Amino acid sequence: MEVPAFVWTLTVTAILGLLAFDFLFHVRKAHTPSLKESALWSSLYVGIALLFGLGVLWFGGPTMGAEYFAGYVTEEALSVDNLFVFLIIMASFRVPRAYQQKVLLFGIVVSLIARTGFIFLGAALINSFAWVFYLFGLILLITAGNLLKPDTHEEDSEGVVVRLAKRFLPTSQHYDGDKLSTVESGKRVLTPMLLVMVAIGGTDLLFALDSIPAIFGLTQNVFIVFTATAFSLMGLRQLFFLIDGLLDRLIFLSYGLATILGFIGVKLILHALHENTLPFINDGQHVNVVEVSTAVSLAVILGVLVVTILASIFSPKGKAKNAVSGARRHAVEYLDLTYETDMAERDKIFARMCREEDQIRKLPEKYKRFIRNETEFLNLLRSAHAEHDKAQVRAAQG
């Protein structure tokens, strides 16, 4: 179905308006979003995406609607997986909590621009060369294989661009609010805020290389590809703060995503065989193979995600890993006096750490093996308790 130009114009304008609204009313003034705020705005963005999907279903028909929802759910799942890497990058650069929103919004804008370019490039290649489906299918199968490897989320968060920037450009070791540059000893230097934005932006470019082939495996309608991708990104900032404490709990997410990407990769290769023009395959003639319908694709994607999420949430292993990694992260955050300066928020971080400590003490011995460098871990917790005791004394004296 051909989408009229005025629909494209209205859609792009609405997306740009939402981004501008997000910046002006939420991100421009640095603050730490509460759980209630994150839940409210996450629900709003998901609601907008679902309403848009219903509009596509109403005006475009059941096939177009199913393609949108399949693409949106797949891209949203991949976005959640990306949050693991964002969390590592934030921790590596020790980004103060109040400024993380601006970094994430920058990453979303960069990702949206990059993916839009990849979408139109992919559409042009598909229209000109049917064999591109073989390439996209191969990319997804390789990506699925990589997701099955241990330690999928690489902890080298800087990347080549950031290392080059640190080496050749004057860089400060300290943040100056949310400024991208500052003055030290009379010289203008970059702040870590700029470097972490470069790291997030560079990571987003890599993520686009597998997310775009994935959605093209579900639909070749450029409007559906663009809107499903855009709406999956729009609520990513709020989602980061909403499920921050649950990310480590989703221990089977990589397996679920590997299954989904592998399924779409096979679907793409089957479609490529059906549209085959390569002379060394069946003498350049189409191959009669079974093609997977969009309805079946949507059912498989939703089924795999539901099983994956439920298995992760109710898994004793997931609960154990979540408690250990959560306690470690919250102890580091509490000890870093620049991470969160609001005393009420610092007390909340400490309280979460204490709850996780209590959960760890109740763990069966076989799950305590998730504590890497146990002596260092216990010393970290003791330091956090000592700092909290000092803070209470200072508060009593003040």
Side-chain angles (χ1 to χ4, degrees), residues 315-386:
S315 163
K317 180 181 177 182
K319 293 178 182 179
K321 287 191 70 174
N322 189 57
V324 172
S325 59
R328 188 189 303 274
R329 185 169 71 253
H330 289 133
V332 170
E333 291 172 356
Y334 187 78
L335 289 169
D336 184 355
L337 299 179
T338 63
Y339 177 81
E340 178 59 72
T341 56
D342 183 271
M343 290 306 298
E345 290 297 326
R346 284 179 55 78
D347 285 340
K348 289 179 183 177
I349 292 172
F350 183 78
R352 284 196 288 269
M353 186 199 79
C354 291
R355 286 195 298 271
E356 286 151 353
E357 276 187 282
D358 188 54
Q359 292 171 13
I360 293 170
R361 280 191 287 269
K362 296 176 182 177
L363 287 177
E365 283 301 319
K366 65 177 180 178
Y367 291 123
K368 291 184 179 178
R369 59 188 172 83
F370 294 124
I371 303 176
R372 298 191 307 272
N373 304 319
E374 186 173 356
T375 302
E376 178 187 324
F377 174 72
L378 294 175
N379 287 336
L380 180 67
L381 297 182
R382 292 190 191 100
S383 298
H385 279 282

Side-chain angles (χ1 to χ4, degrees), residues 3-13 120 221-224 226:
V3 178
F6 78 90
V7 175
W8 269 101
T9 302
L10 289 174
T11 303
V12 172
T13 302
F120 285 102
N221 186 312
V222 177
F223 181 76
I224 296 299
F226 171 75

Side-chain angles (χ1 to χ4, degrees), residues 10-78:
L10 289 174
T11 303
V12 172
T13 302
I15 290 171
L16 293 176
L18 284 171
L19 286 172
F21 176 83
D22 219 9
F23 176 76
L24 292 173
F25 293 97
H26 294 103
V27 175
R28 186 170 61 171
K29 183 179 180 181
H31 72 286
T32 301
S34 65
L35 184 63
K36 181 180 178 181
E37 178 186 338
S38 299
L40 176 66
W41 288 104
S42 291
S43 301
L44 178 64
Y45 277 105
V46 171
I48 291 172
L50 295 179
L51 284 175
F52 184 86
L54 292 176
V56 172
L57 183 66
W58 180 266
F59 292 104
T63 299
M64 199 170 174
E67 288 177 351
Y68 169 81
F69 283 112
Y72 173 72
V73 171
T74 300
E75 292 296 305
E76 192 70 39
L78 289 169

Side-chain angles (χ1 to χ4, degrees), residues 230-251:
F231 283 117
S232 71
L233 292 170
M234 294 298 291
L236 199 58
R237 177 182 63 80
Q238 294 87 350
L239 193 64
F240 176 85
F241 293 98
L242 180 63
I243 67 172
D244 183 2
L246 294 176
L247 281 174
D248 295 310
R249 186 87 165 259
L250 300 176
I251 58 171

Side-chain angles (χ1 to χ4, degrees), residues 212-229:
I212 297 306
I215 194 169
F216 268 119
L218 299 168
T219 177
Q220 283 83 60
N221 186 312
V222 177
F223 181 76
I224 296 299
V225 173
F226 171 75
T227 52
T229 301

Side-chain angles (χ1 to χ4, degrees), residues 229-285:
T229 301
F231 283 117
S232 71
L233 292 170
M234 294 298 291
L236 199 58
R237 177 182 63 80
Q238 294 87 350
L239 193 64
F240 176 85
F241 293 98
L242 180 63
I243 67 172
D244 183 2
L246 294 176
L247 281 174
D248 295 310
R249 186 87 165 259
L250 300 176
I251 58 171
F252 299 124
L253 181 62
S254 291
Y255 298 106
L257 290 176
T259 302
I260 291 171
L261 293 182
F263 168 78
I264 298 174
V266 171
K267 182 178 185 291
L268 272 171
I269 291 174
L270 289 174
H271 182 71
L273 288 169
H274 189 266
E275 302 291 328
N276 179 62
T277 57
L278 295 178
F280 54 85
I281 297 178
N282 199 32
D283 295 324
Q285 300 299 311

